[in-house]
Amino acid sequence: MKEAEKIKCLIIGSGPAGYTAAIYASRANLSPVLYEGIQPGGQLTTTSEIENFPGYPDGISGIAMMDELKKQAARFGTDIRPGIVTGCDLSQSPFQVTIDGKKSVEAKTVIICTGATAKYLGLPDENKYMGMGVSACAVCDGFFYRKKNTAVVGGGDSACEEALYLAGLADKVYMIVRKSYLRASQVMQERVLNHPKIEILFNTNTLGLFGENGVEGAHLIRFAGEPNEERFDIAIDGFFLAIGHKPNSDVFKDYLDLDENGYIQTVWGTTKTNVAGVFAAGDVADPHYRQAVTAAATGCIAAIEAERFLTRG
């Protein structure tokens, strides 16, 4: 049997957290190896324009920004490879990690930056209009919908937060809620119910989207399957999904502490997990902010903590 490759610092994932961790780890002479994962560049590669990342006053596309981060990591010596982690044993050091179901590596430290995947409704139109009116992050893309009409799908706290954020920019915000009530906390319910720009469409589901060069409206159905079923359209420019995210942490669940939603739990103020030598950065450990700049920051922290771990033995 072929001997496993020995790695000092293994980085899993290639979004802002992964590439930033790679930049710092390579500059610290940790000879990091980074596996890009299922979506090279992470979620930002699906974002058409990024205007809130420091250093880009004119904005930059998600793909272009990730390409620049990748080049920067490679410039300092990061070994960047395609591949997906399909198995691991984090019970003892060195840690055993399987790539693509066949290649085995041994790592002295592991930095997990696998991100989280936004949940979608599963409509073909979501893919059709991705980056052209469909988004899963109001804070990321809301600026493009100033003085326009938008819709948020969901009825929890996250959906209310997204709707309130958009209401500060857009002329009109619809909340499309499939149930007859909001699942959000009482204070969030009161805020959206009393906001003059927000209209809540209860008992409503989305059938599809329409538009020539981007989203121009949504086909909706109210009271589906009931005698009073009603189909109607709304005119919108932006369609925001706020029905949750799924952290990409399943492969690590037997070894790492996760919260009730699957996010990797870290020691407060650090990227340290319950396993010494294993660190988690970016959206896979962040249920709250999910921003490129916060992901990058934790990638930096993880690399510094990995270097200190190796130095102290």
Side-chain angles (χ1 to χ4, degrees):
M1 186 174 179
K2 191 175 180 179
E3 186 179 358
E5 179 185 7
K6 292 177 173 54
I7 296 171
K8 189 182 293 184
C9 179
L10 174 65
I11 301 171
I12 305 170
S14 58
Y19 285 140
T20 303
I23 291 166
Y24 276 79
S26 53
R27 285 171 58 86
N29 294 320
L30 300 188
S31 303
V33 172
L34 182 150
Y35 280 96
E36 293 179 300
I38 197 166
Q39 188 176 28
Q43 289 185 81
L44 281 188
T45 56
T46 65
T47 301
S48 57
E49 192 79 7
I50 299 168
E51 292 192 330
N52 58 0
F53 197 95
Y56 297 98
D58 298 320
I60 186 171
S61 75
I63 292 174
M65 191 173 98
M66 288 302 96
D67 189 51
E68 289 192 5
L69 284 177
K70 181 177 181 178
K71 288 176 181 175
Q72 191 172 358
R75 174 193 165 201
F76 291 116
T78 303
D79 184 347
I80 300 172
R81 307 172 180 177
I84 301 166
V85 170
T86 53
C88 68
D89 183 351
L90 305 181
S91 61
Q92 60 183 358
S93 180
F95 307 109
Q96 312 295 315
V97 179
T98 304
I99 311 297
D100 296 329
K102 51 188 178 182
K103 179 178 173 61
S104 296
V105 299
E106 278 187 7
K108 290 184 178 179
T109 58
V110 177
I111 300 176
I112 300 168
C113 308
T114 47
T117 303
K119 296 178 182 178
Y120 289 85
L121 298 173
L123 302 172
D125 289 337
E126 289 173 319
N127 290 324
K128 178 181 177 181
Y129 294 107
M130 185 63 64
M132 300 169 59
V134 172
S135 171
C137 180
V139 175
C140 308
D141 301 324
F143 180 81
F144 302 110
Y145 300 94
R146 293 179 66 189
K147 308 296 184 183
K148 296 184 178 181
N149 294 340
T150 60
V152 175
V153 180
D157 280 330
S158 294
C160 290
E161 288 173 4
E162 299 274 279
L164 289 164
Y165 181 83
L166 287 169
L169 300 165
D171 279 345
K172 174 81 173 183
V173 181
Y174 294 99
M175 285 190 70
I176 303 171
V177 183
R178 63 186 178 90
K179 297 182 180 294
S180 60
Y181 57 90
L182 295 171
R183 294 181 291 104
S185 59
Q186 192 61 40
V187 63
M188 294 301 289
Q189 288 189 43
E190 291 174 1
R191 287 176 184 170
V192 295
L193 287 167
N194 295 324
H195 200 291
K197 287 187 180 180
I198 298 174
E199 180 180 347
I200 304 177
L201 305 174
F202 289 110
N203 302 295
T204 302
N205 290 286
T206 307
L207 296 174
L209 304 170
F210 61 88
E212 289 296 319
N213 299 309
V215 172
E216 295 177 6
H219 301 300
L220 305 180
I221 183 169
R222 182 183 283 139
F223 300 115
E226 301 295 325
N228 56 341
E229 178 180 293
E230 174 191 4
R231 295 176 183 240
F232 61 102
D233 294 345
I234 56 172
I236 54 172
D237 304 285
F239 185 77
F240 291 83
L241 282 301
I243 53 177
H245 285 72
K246 186 183 187 305
N248 303 317
S249 62
D250 284 355
V251 72
F252 311 109
K253 65 184 179 182
D254 291 339
Y255 305 96
L256 301 183
D257 290 340
L258 310 178
D259 72 8
E260 64 274 13
N261 295 312
Y263 288 92
I264 297 175
Q265 294 189 303
T266 55
V267 177
W268 177 252
T270 77
T271 61
K272 298 174 184 177
T273 69
N274 60 293
V275 176
V278 177
F279 309 88
D283 287 12
V284 73
D286 176 16
H288 303 295
Y289 303 107
R290 296 194 295 269
Q291 299 301 301
V293 70
T294 52
T298 55
C300 161
I301 293 168
I304 292 173
E305 290 178 337
E307 189 273 334
R308 290 175 179 171
F309 174 83
L310 290 167
T311 300
R312 294 169 184 172

